[in-house]
Every structure is written in structure tokens, then in C-alpha cells.
Amino acid sequence: MQTGRIYLFPSSLGDVPPSEVLPQRNIELLRGVRHFVVEELRTARRFLKACDRSIVIDDLHFEVLNEHTSSDEVEAMLAPALTGEDIGVISEAGCPAVADPGADLVAAAQRRGIEICPLVGPSSILLSLMASGFNGQSFAFEGYLPIDAGRRAARLREMEKSVRTRRQTQIFIETPYRNNRLVAELARTLSPDMLLCVAADLTGPRQSVRTLSLRRWRNETYDYDKIPAIFLIYS
Amino acid sequence: MQTGRIYLFPSSLGDVPPSEVLPQRNIELLRGVRHFVVEELRTARRFLKACDRSIVIDDLHFEVLNEHTSSDEVEAMLAPALTGEDIGVISEAGCPAVADPGADLVAAAQRRGIEICPLVGPSSILLSLMASGFNGQSFAFEGYLPIDAGRRAARLREMEKSVRTRRQTQIFIETPYRNNRLVAELARTLSPDMLLCVAADLTGPRQSVRTLSLRRWRNETYDYDKIPAIFLIYS
């Protein structure tokens, strides 16, 4: 029997209508899928309804995959694909399997030779890199900075060094309520000639992408409090 | 006077119809833009026509931005935005300003405080990362491997080390006619337990994304000759 495929369905970042940020083809493919593996049930159902109001949620099967899911449970979620059914993966925001537990499902599927179909959608990493003006031929995404002060300072120094010696753009994120503190911290601790790009509310109504030297960020007025944002440094 | 915006319009990877890989909103925005900065004139015109056959190419203004463009010329390309007109940037394939000269235009625009609007579209880096099953919380894209044998071997060792010690997925590309040689080289030179993902013809009719250990790649049948591909390693 032919195995099913695993479709990786990106979702909107924030409250943006799916049709603004997703190709129509994603929505057509979504209509044909009965089995979903989702990071958060409520968000996924809301997303499906926003894609197509005629989708009948109760006809669909959902499995929740989050950081508490064991690897045996992840393996079991592949069952529909092994009997020829397609599976759709939806993460809480943006591209599945990039910075969420969906990657474990994809890895398990790759081990079994199941076909994976990644679909186009919004990625704050890529969108911010495009709009920053920074080097896109060499870049690294590092997720969150460490919280521990010593390790955090060491990471920032290491990032600055990668910018200077390897011309590698450094990309990272912060918990939204700490955004303002992070900008102030970067302005205080990195070289004043280093460039910082802050990309906030990407694809959303308050979208802004600003690149300034840290010297200028020091005297700049900004408020990114609780707005999803991503940070990039380069020189 | 209000300055215009710079829209970064991703294009298809290969011969795929734009509507399959781009949100409808991109095409609506495209219709309102009169000034374009493009990497390659012929490709850009063909892309615009594929987005909307009713677009009258002769009514539009095009500037070509490639690796031969001087920084003075790049600055001059911002002129329409300074008088309130929007500018659309289109690269030869995929997301502009990631691995092409569009980044220089964006950097110049950021220095002048012009608003940059990055739009959603296909990125082989992101699509391959999603489908690889590898770590998306920490990854680096490095463009092409060095050609010089010594520097190339050193880069491969460094990448293997970043996978092992930092759990950082390593992403890179190769000139398509050397793809098969690259896979064989990686299978020969990296640890047999390292995982290699080859993502080929992403979004296209021959799309395939395969993750196998290098031990298995050694004995695998494959032919990626002249197919656009991207390579990822992890363990």
C-alpha cells in the first residue's frame, strides 16, 4: 500500500486572515486532509475555520503534539500515513517543524521513508532577514538568548564575534514582554557601531522593521512591549 | 511628503505558477506598483505576466540590480520612494534580499528610514528545514561551500563540530551540476552517523526531501544532477 504524505501547513502569525499570507493551494490541500497533528487544539481549529468556514471540524481527527509528547506517542501519530492517509501538521504560529515539536514527527516520518511536503507560509525569521538589509548569504538563528546573566553575556559576545569575523547575520527572539528591556540591554552591551534590526508584528497591522546602529537605538523612542518581535544583528 | 514603501515580492522557485506558492495578496499588491528593481529583467517580466496576464509591462519602470551595480546606483534606485511612489523588488527566484543583491537596496532604504514590507513566499532554506526533521531552534545557512579543497575540508569539519557541540543544523547549497558529487563527497568525508537531508526541486513537480544517515547515503541510488537542491546536516 502507498503511504500517505505529511503536509506541513504554515499558519498565520497572529490574527491575520490566512488568505493574506498563504497561497490558495495550501487551503485547497487542507480541504483534502482528515488527520491533523497540531500543537494547540483550539488555535488549530480556529485556523482551519479561518481558512475555510465550510470545513466541518467534527469530521476531522486531531492529535496534539507538544513538548510533553513522548517519542512513542509521536511514532503512533504516523499510523494514518502508514495506511495511506495524508496527515496535516499545524503549529501554533508560522511554519511547523521549525521552532516547535513538529520537527520530532517529521524526523520520525523521515526514518520511515514517508513523503514530507512542506508548504509556503509566513516565517518571521525569513521575513525579518529580507527586510533587515543584512547578509542573507550567511546567517544563524539561535532561538532565545540564555536567561542566566553570565551565559547571556557570553552568547552576546559570541554573536558579535560571528558578525565581525564571519560576516554572519545573527537572529534571535525574546519573550514579548521583555522586548523593550532586550533592546536597551543590546544598546548598552554591544558595540555602538553594530546594527540592530527589530522586526515587530510581521504581516500584522502594526508591522515595523527598523534597522539602526546601537548608537542610534540608545536615543531612539520605541515600544515593542508585548508585540511579537524578532531581533537581528549585523555590522 | 510621505515616502513610498519598498515591497519585497518573492517569486516562484523554478517554473511553478505563482498562484501555487504566493498569497493572493502579493499579486494584488503587485498590481499597484509601477517601479520595480529586479535582478534579471527577462525573468521579472515573465514572473509579472505569470502573476497577472493583464499587467501591461510597458507601463512599468524597471531598474536592474545585480552584482555589478555600484552603491551610488543602488542609492539612485530609491528615488521613486523619496517622491512617494512604492517600489517592488523581485529577485530571480525565491525571496528577494536573502541571497541576492536586493539586500544592498534594502540596507540603503533602511538608512533613509523608508518603510520595508517583506512579503510571504517560497524559501528553499525554510522549506527544507521544515521537511528535514532537523533542529529549527538553532540553524545556520552558509551559502556555497568553498571550492578550494583545503578550505572546503576545513568548513565541513567546522560544520560537523557545530552540529555536535551546539546542536546547530547546518544548511548549504551547491551549483546544481555538482549535486551528485557533493553527496558522494559528504558521504566519504563526514561521520557515517551524521544525517544528511537533500531537498530537491522544492515546490516543483519533482520535489523530494530525503533525510538519511551518511552511512545509508553511501549505498543509496540518487540522481540530483542539475536539479536545484539544498543540503542540510544534523545528527
Side-chain angles (χ1 to χ4, degrees), chain B residues 80-102:
Chain B
L82 300 176
T83 58
E85 301 266 354
D86 294 333
I87 297 175
V89 181
I90 304 173
S91 82
E92 205 167 340
C95 294
V98 168
D100 67 55

Side-chain angles (χ1 to χ4, degrees), chain A residues 101-178:
Chain A
D104 296 338
L105 185 83
V106 174
Q110 283 281 10
R111 284 191 292 272
R112 289 167 178 263
I114 295 169
E115 187 180 344
I116 316 285
C117 298
L119 298 174
V120 172
S123 154
S124 57
I125 300 170
L126 245 287
L127 292 169
S128 66
L129 183 63
M130 288 162 71
S132 65
F134 293 170
N135 190 8
Q137 314 255 19
S138 172
F139 65 91
F141 173 70
E142 289 286 356
Y144 292 93
L145 295 180
I147 291 171
D148 170 76
R151 289 182 49 226
R152 190 176 176 97
R155 168 76 67 80
L156 287 174
R157 275 195 305 274
E158 195 183 289
M159 284 172 30
E160 200 163 2
K161 195 179 153 205
S162 295
V163 169
R164 296 239 191 258
T165 62
R166 308 172 60 188
R167 310 303 301 152
Q168 187 185 58
T169 302
Q170 306 291 307
I171 311 177
F172 51 102
I173 46 177
E174 181 55 287
T175 315
Y177 76 89
R178 283 196 287 232

Side-chain angles (χ1 to χ4, degrees), chain A residues 24-40:
Chain A
Q24 188 55 30
R25 175 165 181 261
N26 293 24
I27 294 165
E28 284 155 20
L29 285 168
L30 205 58
R31 288 195 192 107
V33 175
R34 291 282 157 270
H35 295 269
F36 287 93
V37 172
V38 304
E39 192 178 1
E40 224 269 319

